């Protein structure tokens, strides 16, 4: 095979080489399993057939795509590049199929948005209402999950945008971030919690009760751990959860405490569903932002959604 520096593809290489979707699917499956035999099983074919397809692909591009080792079959630099683009192509085709089957058909653009649990639980719904008033012909699919689950789908174009609290875990090659604003956090408990009426509970008071902690690795958990260390307290915790609904049910039926975005907590406190404790938390939890591909041109509908997110974030920051 030619050296990497000698490899240059013609613009129409995939036409001349008769690239097929099964070649792209093979690249993705090989990246997932790192084993030729397992790839053959998943594609319902034989191991020699998989080897032939890989040889066909390597002949088309003029470069080795995988290296076999005692620990598995791993992509080369060229293989990693093709895998990335294969995921994009297959992801876009999947999205096109969904778009054609959506109500309204081709006149409606569908945007897929990932949200990182409570970080976007208040901002995104209000943004969608603003977008609906402003833009017709747009469907928005919202998926909630951990940032570890959302970013791979953003990379493969299954998601257009991710709205999340930004931190070390949200940085990635080929991704760009846009800060929407700081989102103050607060300590919450049930409406009948013993500390709900306390004027200024201390951190030792807070540590006397069980806590529902944010998941490890999240920006909120990193900020909270720093505060615990600074205040020299170690609250007991048996639950890690970023789900607002789950945490509210737990707090309502116990004396557990948790942290929550102030805008979200205030919304539920007005309905007497929880209490916001009189504890000032410094801005150590990271800003809320939008994450997207920096190499893909955003559509007009995507730009409209980002604009609505920015407007809604400004409105929330000015709210009393």
């Amino acid at each position: 095979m030619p050296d990497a520096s000698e490899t240059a593809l013609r613009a129409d290489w995939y036409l001349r080489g008769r690239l097929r979707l099964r070649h792209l699917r093979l690249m993705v499956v090989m990246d997932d399993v790192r084993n030729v035999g397992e790839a053959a099983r998943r594609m319902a074919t034989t191991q020699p057939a998989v080897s032939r397809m890989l040889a066909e692909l390597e002949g088309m591009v003029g470069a080795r795509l995988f290296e076999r080792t005692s620990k598995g079959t791993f992509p080369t630099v060229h293989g990693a590049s093709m895998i990335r683009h294969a995921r994009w192509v297959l992801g876009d085709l999947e999205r096109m199929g969904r778009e054609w089957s959506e109500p309204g058909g081709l006149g409606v653009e569908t945007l897929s948005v990932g949200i990182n649990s409570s970080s976007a639980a208040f901002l995104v719904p209000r943004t969608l209402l603003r977008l609906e008033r402003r833009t017709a012909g747009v469907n928005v699919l919202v998926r909630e999950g951990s940032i570890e689950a959302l970013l791979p789908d953003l990379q493969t174009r299954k998601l257009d945008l991710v709205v999340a609290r930004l931190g070390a875990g949200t940085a990635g090659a080929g991704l760009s971030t846009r800060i929407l604003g700081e989102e103050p956090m607060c300590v919450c408990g049930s409406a009948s919690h013993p500390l709900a009426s306390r004027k200024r509970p201390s951190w030792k008071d807070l540590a006397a009760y069980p806590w529902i902690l944010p998941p490890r690795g999240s920006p909120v958990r990193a900020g909270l751990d720093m505060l615990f260390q600074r205040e020299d307290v170690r609250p007991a915790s048996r639950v890690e959860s970023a789900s607002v609904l789950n945490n509210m049910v737990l707090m309502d039926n116990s004396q557990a405490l948790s942290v929550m975005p102030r805008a979200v907590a205030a919304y539920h406190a007005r309905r007497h569903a929880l209490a916001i404790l009189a504890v000032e938390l410094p801005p150590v939890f990271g800003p809320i932002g939008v994450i997207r591909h920096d190499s893909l041109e955003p559509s007009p509908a995507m730009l409209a959604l980002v604009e609505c997110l920015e407007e809604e974030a400004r409105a929330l920051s000015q709210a009393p």
Side-chain angles (χ1 to χ4, degrees):
M1 294 292 174
D3 181 79
S5 61
E6 300 171 357
T7 303
L9 293 178
R10 293 175 56 110
D12 61 349
W13 70 270
Y14 50 91
L15 296 176
R16 290 172 171 267
R18 296 185 180 180
L19 181 72
R20 299 179 181 180
L21 289 180
R22 65 175 185 154
H23 291 121
L24 300 183
R25 182 165 177 258
L26 173 61
M27 293 299 294
V28 171
V29 172
M30 282 292 296
D31 186 44
D32 290 340
V33 302
R34 305 291 171 90
N35 180 277
V36 173
E38 178 62 16
R41 189 188 69 80
R42 293 201 181 189
M43 295 186 70
T45 187
T46 64
Q47 191 165 329
V50 166
S51 297
R52 280 197 301 272
M53 278 195 283
L54 283 177
E56 289 172 2
L57 264 175
E58 291 180 337
M60 288 183 216
V61 299
R64 186 172 295 281
L65 298 175
F66 288 93
E67 295 287 354
R68 294 193 183 191
T69 72
S70 59
K71 296 182 178 180
T73 304
F74 296 92
T76 63
V77 174
H78 293 89
S81 175
M82 179 167 277
I83 288 165
R84 185 173 71 254
H85 288 280
R87 290 187 184 277
W88 287 1
V89 170
L90 295 175
D92 278 343
L93 290 174
E94 181 182 327
R95 288 164 54 83
M96 185 181 75
R98 288 203 310 264
E99 184 176 304
W100 286 25
S101 62
E102 286 292 330
L106 298 179
V108 177
E109 180 177 353
T110 298
L111 297 177
S112 297
V113 179
I115 64 173
N116 183 214
S117 62
S118 61
S119 299
F122 203 67
L123 172 64
V124 170
R126 291 170 61 107
T127 295
L128 296 182
L129 294 173
R130 186 183 289 262
L131 180 69
E132 186 177 3
R133 293 192 296 267
R134 179 176 305 178
T135 307
V138 179
N139 285 341
V140 182
L141 304 179
V142 178
R143 201 183 96 208
E144 182 177 343
S146 68
I147 198 68
E148 293 82 8
L150 296 175
L151 286 186
D153 281 351
L154 181 65
Q155 291 277 18
T156 57
R157 294 280 288 116
K158 291 180 180 177
L159 292 173
D160 292 297
L161 300 171
V162 169
V163 183
R165 193 174 292 275
L166 303 180
T170 59
L175 299 179
S176 64
T177 58
R178 189 176 214 162
I179 293 176
L180 296 172
E182 294 291 337
E183 185 182 47
M185 302 291 287
C186 62
V187 180
C188 302
S190 70
S192 59
H193 197 281
L195 296 181
S197 58
R198 187 78 62 89
K199 287 187 177 180
R200 287 187 180 177
S202 68
W203 280 94
K204 284 189 171 25
D205 294 330
L206 300 177
Y209 293 91
W211 276 69
I212 306 164
L213 295 177
R216 292 181 186 275
S218 67
V220 176
R221 178 63 178 270
L224 193 58
D225 284 346
M226 187 195 72
L227 292 177
F228 287 157
Q229 184 176 13
R230 189 186 74 179
E231 301 296 334
D232 194 25
V233 295
R234 291 184 180 179
S237 173
R238 294 182 180 175
V239 178
E240 293 187 6
S241 167
S243 167
V244 172
L245 179 59
N246 180 71
N247 294 356
M248 287 181 62
V249 172
L250 286 172
M251 287 187 292
D252 195 40
N253 291 276
S254 71
Q255 292 187 337
L257 301 174
S258 72
V259 290
M260 192 178 292
R262 182 168 286 277
V264 178
Y267 177 83
H268 293 294
R270 288 194 292 271
R271 288 154 179 78
H272 308 288
L274 54 75
I276 299 175
L277 275 56
V279 180
E280 286 295 324
L281 297 181
V284 296
F285 302 100
I288 295 293
V290 178
I291 313 169
R292 71 170 187 85
H293 273 289
D294 59 10
S295 59
L296 299 175
E297 192 69 25
S299 69
M302 197 186 304
L303 292 174
L305 177 59
V306 172
E307 184 178 340
C308 288
L309 281 165
E310 291 174 331
E311 291 174 5
E312 196 56 49
R314 283 196 297 270
L316 286 173
S317 69
Q318 296 165 5

